[in-house]
Amino acid sequence: MNKYKNSLAFARELDAKDPLAHFRAQFYIPQVNGKDVVYFTGNSLGLQPKTTKDYINQELEDWKYFGVEGHFYGKNPWVGYHHFVEKQTAEIVGAKIEEVVVMNSLTVNLNLLMVTFYSPTKTRYKIIMEADAFPSDHYAMQQQARFHGFDPEDAIVQLYPREGEHTLRTEDIIAEIKFHADDLALVMIGGVNYYTGQFFDLENIVDAGHSIGAIVGFDLAHAAGNVILKLHDWNVDFATWCSYKYLNSSPGGISGVFIHEKYSNSPELPRFAGWWGSDEKDRFLMDKKFIPQKGAAGWQMSNAPILTMSAHWASLEIFMEAGMENLRVKSIELTNYLEFLINDSNELGLEIITPSNVGERGCQLSLLTKENGKELFKKLQAAGVIADWREPNVIRIAPVPMYNTFEDCFRFVEILNS
Ligand SMILES: *Cc1c(COP(=O)(O)O)cnc(C)c1O
């Protein structure tokens, strides 16, 4: 017996019982024909919190009144602005405060972290990643290999699902890592795969990587703010993510970086540098000797882009209020309900390629369509659903617990079958 029912009344009952339901009102929901859309693309660009404008305005006001003095005398002095978001960031990814910093953008950070974490030798130079990793990650890793004089065809090991399967089995990932025990330098995997929505067993992947002497890093673009992460406890070497997907921090918003504590006091590690990574108390002495700050902050280069960071701050405060654990509890229900509805009335024969095991997915479901996929997607669009189309035949939908409702799930499936 399933605990769910395929009815609008039941969906509304779940919404009425949802302790996080009031957070929806803190966001602007796009409208089509005067009605709230079913917004299922928080995995691509999160919606705008109503407080974002106030956070940005505060900094505009301080700039207006103080000019450069805003660095020290503004309400939130810009000189140490990254500190205003470090505690929340650490909480979201399961890190110590010293292990995180927000800076730059995601692919920039991915490349930057390679300076420290990809030091290939003639014999140990390979990088393992998912075959269907996000293209930006493929480009970055290919060029990193090339930059060090390797042929990407040889240096990049791609993980493919088994014949007839869509997602990767942990045992296969681990076997591949062990197979490359002598030549693997780096494991670089998306924590949650952007295409299939699969949430990998990060802890065991870290252990496997370390057991053969490789560094293990994750791209958490689709994991941060979506699933529970324990980067410190899992002993992840490094990670980076963007803030504009689940973290609702404005288009192209600032990226986050995690560097494990074990590297926090190692000024000798290779890294690129700039004045913002240097010791804070000596920064304005304009000395020529670079002494990095302890922790992830020592990887900063430029002074912080205050306006985008203020947008990030606005959203992080809402996450703190809601709590990641609570969000995850709702997220599991929301996605389970959506999955139930799709399977319950699946006249179109759609296949959900995202794992059905809740421990192996975040909120996203990826639907494999038959030959009429593109038309189906257009029908959804016309009826006020914002979803995401991926060539050749996948529709990605992400009911996010922060602002989506059980009624959204019901409406989506109703339109799908209409
Ligand atoms: C969204 C996403 C990106 C985008 O990178 P930007 O540098 O922020 O443009 C890269 N990698 C993954 C896995 C993503 O999901």
Side-chain angles (χ1 to χ4, degrees):
M1 263 305 283
N2 201 294
K3 64 174 177 168
Y4 296 130
K5 288 188 201 131
N6 189 347
S7 77
L8 179 59
F10 185 79
R12 286 184 171 161
E13 231 174 84
L14 292 178
D15 283 323
K17 281 191 286 198
D18 169 17
L20 301 181
H22 60 287
F23 283 97
R24 179 176 171 88
Q26 296 195 30
F27 289 81
Y28 291 110
I29 313 291
Q31 307 272 307
V32 167
N33 300 329
K35 268 178 64 184
D36 286 355
V37 298
V38 174
Y39 195 80
F40 276 174
T41 37
N43 57 348
S44 193
L45 181 66
L47 292 179
Q48 183 183 152
K50 290 178 180 167
T51 49
T52 302
K53 205 182 277 174
D54 301 330
Y55 275 71
I56 294 177
N57 261 336
Q58 176 65 48
E59 307 313 333
L60 289 174
E61 288 295 301
D62 282 352
W63 181 21
K64 180 166 127 191
Y65 288 111
F66 295 107
V68 70
E69 305 281 19
H71 279 97
F72 300 100
Y73 302 117
K75 177 160 181 269
N76 314 306
W78 303 325
V79 66
Y81 208 85
H82 67 277
H83 292 302
F84 298 134
V85 294
E86 62 193 3
K87 188 166 171 292
Q88 306 89 317
T89 302
E91 200 162 315
I92 284 172
V93 297
K96 297 190 174 183
I97 288 175
E98 205 176 79
E99 293 175 318
V100 295
V101 70
V102 302
M103 59 181 191
N104 312 319
S105 47
L106 172 55
T107 311
V108 169
N109 283 333
L110 202 52
N111 278 291
L112 205 56
L113 287 163
M114 292 300 124
V115 177
T116 304
F117 294 105
Y118 182 56
S119 303
T121 65
K122 275 205 168 56
T123 51
R124 192 180 274 284
Y125 60 93
K126 293 196 175 175
I127 303 172
I128 271 193
M129 58 194 299
E130 320 108 278
D132 62 357
F134 198 84
S136 199
D137 299 36
H138 275 294
Y139 305 154
M141 293 304 117
Q142 287 164 12
Q143 291 306 109
Q144 285 294 332
R146 193 165 281 141
F147 175 72
H148 287 281
F150 298 99
D151 174 4
E153 288 284 325
D154 171 42
I156 311 285
V157 179
Q158 301 189 50
L159 296 161
Y160 288 92
R162 290 187 190 186
E163 188 75 35
E165 299 184 6
H166 297 287
T167 52
L168 295 166
R169 299 190 190 194
T170 306
E171 76 237 46
D172 291 353
I173 299 174
I174 288 173
E176 192 68 15
I177 290 171
K178 300 218 159 145
F179 180 77
H180 287 280
D182 298 325
D183 60 12
L184 193 66
L186 176 69
V187 177
M188 178 66 237
I189 289 180
V192 172
N193 180 271
Y194 87 101
Y195 189 73
T196 62
Q198 181 177 15
F199 178 25
F200 295 110
D201 183 346
L202 303 188
E203 187 174 17
N204 280 311
I205 291 172
V206 171
D207 288 348
H210 287 172
S211 77
I212 57 119
I215 295 274
V216 183
F218 297 119
D219 182 330
L220 301 176
H222 282 262
N226 179 22
V227 290
I228 301 295
L229 297 166
K230 305 219 174 294
L231 300 186
H232 175 82
D233 291 348
W234 294 341
N235 207 12
V236 175
D237 291 295
F238 71 92
T240 181
W241 56 92
C242 54
S243 67
Y244 50 81
K245 292 172 179 165
Y246 293 104
L247 294 175
N248 313 319
S249 300
S250 84
I254 197 100
S255 165
V257 164
F258 166 89
I259 295 169
H260 197 278
E261 187 181 39
K262 62 192 169 191
Y263 303 108
S264 80
N265 216 359
S266 310
E268 76 289 352
L269 281 174
R271 72 178 89 189
F272 288 167
W275 67 324
W276 232 248
S278 75
D279 203 352
E280 281 180 297
K281 63 182 189 320
D282 297 336
R283 186 178 290 146
F284 293 100
L285 297 181
M286 297 300 186
D287 193 358
K288 280 188 218 162
K289 182 156 169 48
F290 175 67
I291 301 171
Q293 293 179 54
K294 278 178 68 179
W299 270 261
Q300 293 173 100
M301 294 199 288
S302 292
N303 76 99
I306 299 300
L307 299 184
T308 64
M309 278 176 68
S310 66
H312 190 33
W313 189 3
S315 175
L316 289 175
E317 288 304 325
I318 305 174
F319 271 84
M320 292 305 102
E321 207 185 315
M324 264 319 291
E325 300 280 346
N326 299 331
L327 285 164
R328 182 64 182 145
V329 168
K330 173 176 172 185
S331 176
I332 289 171
E333 285 298 316
L334 206 54
T335 298
N336 282 354
Y337 186 54
L338 181 59
E339 179 185 44
F340 159 77
L341 292 172
I342 291 168
N343 289 333
D344 189 55
S345 51
N346 196 351
E347 290 149 31
L348 300 160
L350 299 174
E351 185 186 352
I352 300 175
I353 61 173
T354 308
S356 56
N357 172 6
V358 298
E360 288 180 69
R361 68 183 185 199
C363 72
Q364 174 183 326
L365 293 178
S366 302
L367 312 177
L368 191 64
T369 65
K370 301 250 160 98
E371 54 292 326
N372 59 348
K374 203 66 191 263
E375 288 150 43
L376 188 61
F377 183 73
K378 288 198 175 127
K379 178 175 81 172
L380 289 166
Q381 256 180 333
V385 172
I386 304 189
D388 176 87
W389 174 258
R390 289 287 139 160
E391 294 294 344
N393 54 359
V394 165
I395 296 174
R396 299 185 309 161
I397 45 176
V400 309
M402 189 66 95
Y403 46 71
N404 281 122
T405 62
F406 292 89
E407 185 170 338
D408 282 338
C409 299
F410 183 83
R411 277 180 62 201
F412 173 83
V413 177
E414 192 179 43
I415 294 165
L416 194 67
N417 291 324
S418 65

